[in-house]
């Protein structure tokens, strides 16, 4: 019965150790999951901030183009007026200024649309990466079970009991001279 008690104690100690390990793994997973969520949020925020900064820069660029175009057109009008030039050729020159400015502004706006679509795709990729990371971190933790410990103790107890019975039989059975 002493070995049965030792076996039961060993099984209990093993169970307690497994339970502590499982709890430590769960805490570690919770910390890693929190860090992954924070990392994904920072990544998305960074992408959105860059998109916003690019949009501001593009707006400033469009305003500058408009200002330069207006100044160039005004200089050309003054110059044409001072030289006494007019007519169709002057009108065509002003139309060309306006066309070039509009084309450039249109190209910038089109690029802004492309950039916005690319940010959307990058955010989608970042979300998929985040989900993969969460899945990898969220592996099931092996929970300890009392069943193997109880079965182990029962097995040891029954083995000790059977051993004791055999010993008792051997000591009480008469032997022939």
């Amino acid at each position: 019965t002493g070995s049965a008690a030792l076996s039961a104690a060993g099984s209990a100690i093993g169970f307690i150790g497994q339970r502590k390990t499982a709890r430590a793994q769960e805490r570690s997973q919770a910390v890693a999951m929190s860090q992954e969520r924070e990392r994904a949020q920072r990544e998305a925020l960074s992408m959105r901030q860059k998109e916003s900064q690019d949009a501001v820069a593009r707006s400033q660029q469009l305003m500058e183009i408009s200002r330069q175009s207006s100044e160039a057109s005004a200089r050309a009008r003054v110059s044409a007026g001072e030289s006494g030039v007019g007519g169709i050729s002057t009108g065509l020159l002003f139309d060309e200024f306006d066309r070039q400015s509009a084309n450039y502004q249109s190209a910038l706006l089109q690029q802004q649309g492309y950039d916005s679509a690319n940010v959307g795709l990058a955010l989608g990729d970042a979300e998929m990466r985040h989900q993969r990371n969460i899945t990898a971190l969220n592996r099931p933790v092996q929970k300890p079970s009392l069943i193997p410990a109880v079965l182990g103790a029962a097995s040891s107890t029954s083995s000790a009991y059977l051993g004791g019975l055999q010993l008792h039989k051997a000591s009480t059975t008469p032997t022939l001279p």
Side-chain angles (χ1 to χ4, degrees):
T1 59
S3 83
L6 284 175
S7 175
S11 295
I13 290 171
F15 173 77
I16 292 169
Q18 289 173 352
R19 187 174 60 190
K20 284 183 179 181
T21 299
R23 286 182 180 162
Q25 285 175 337
E26 288 172 345
R27 283 190 301 272
S28 177
Q29 269 185 347
V31 168
M33 297 277 281
S34 175
Q35 289 172 340
E36 171 55 24
R37 277 191 294 277
E38 188 177 315
R39 184 210 59 78
Q41 289 171 348
R42 280 194 319 267
E43 182 179 16
L45 179 63
S46 173
M47 286 182 201
R48 288 294 184 194
Q49 283 177 333
K50 183 174 181 341
E51 180 184 35
S52 177
Q53 290 167 351
D54 290 348
V56 167
R58 196 167 282 112
S59 291
Q60 291 170 343
Q61 196 174 9
L62 286 169
M63 288 183 351
E64 180 62 19
I65 291 166
S66 179
R67 185 189 64 74
Q68 287 177 359
S69 177
S70 293
E71 286 178 1
S73 181
R75 279 193 306 272
R77 287 183 201 282
V78 168
S79 178
E82 286 176 352
S83 11
V85 177
I88 295 176
S89 63
T90 306
L92 290 175
L93 176 66
F94 296 139
D95 288 347
E96 181 62 18
F97 277 138
D98 292 342
R99 185 188 67 73
Q100 286 179 7
S101 175
N103 283 346
Y104 191 62
Q105 289 176 357
S106 175
L108 282 175
L109 291 173
Q110 187 177 31
Q111 185 61 46
Q112 183 174 353
Y114 294 151
D115 291 347
S116 181
N118 286 336
V119 167
L121 291 172
L123 284 169
D125 289 346
E127 179 60 25
M128 285 191 305
R129 231 179 358 268
H130 171 65
Q131 290 303 321
R132 262 194 323 268
N133 290 345
I134 290 293
T135 300
L137 291 171
N138 204 16
R139 298 274 186 234
V141 174
Q142 179 93 19
K143 302 271 186 191
S145 173
L146 276 176
I147 294 172
V150 169
L151 290 176
S155 174
S156 294
T157 302
S158 66
S159 294
Y161 177 74
L162 288 174
L165 274 179
Q166 287 175 348
L167 185 62
H168 177 69
K169 246 187 198 179
S171 66
T172 58
T173 306
T175 56
L176 293 175

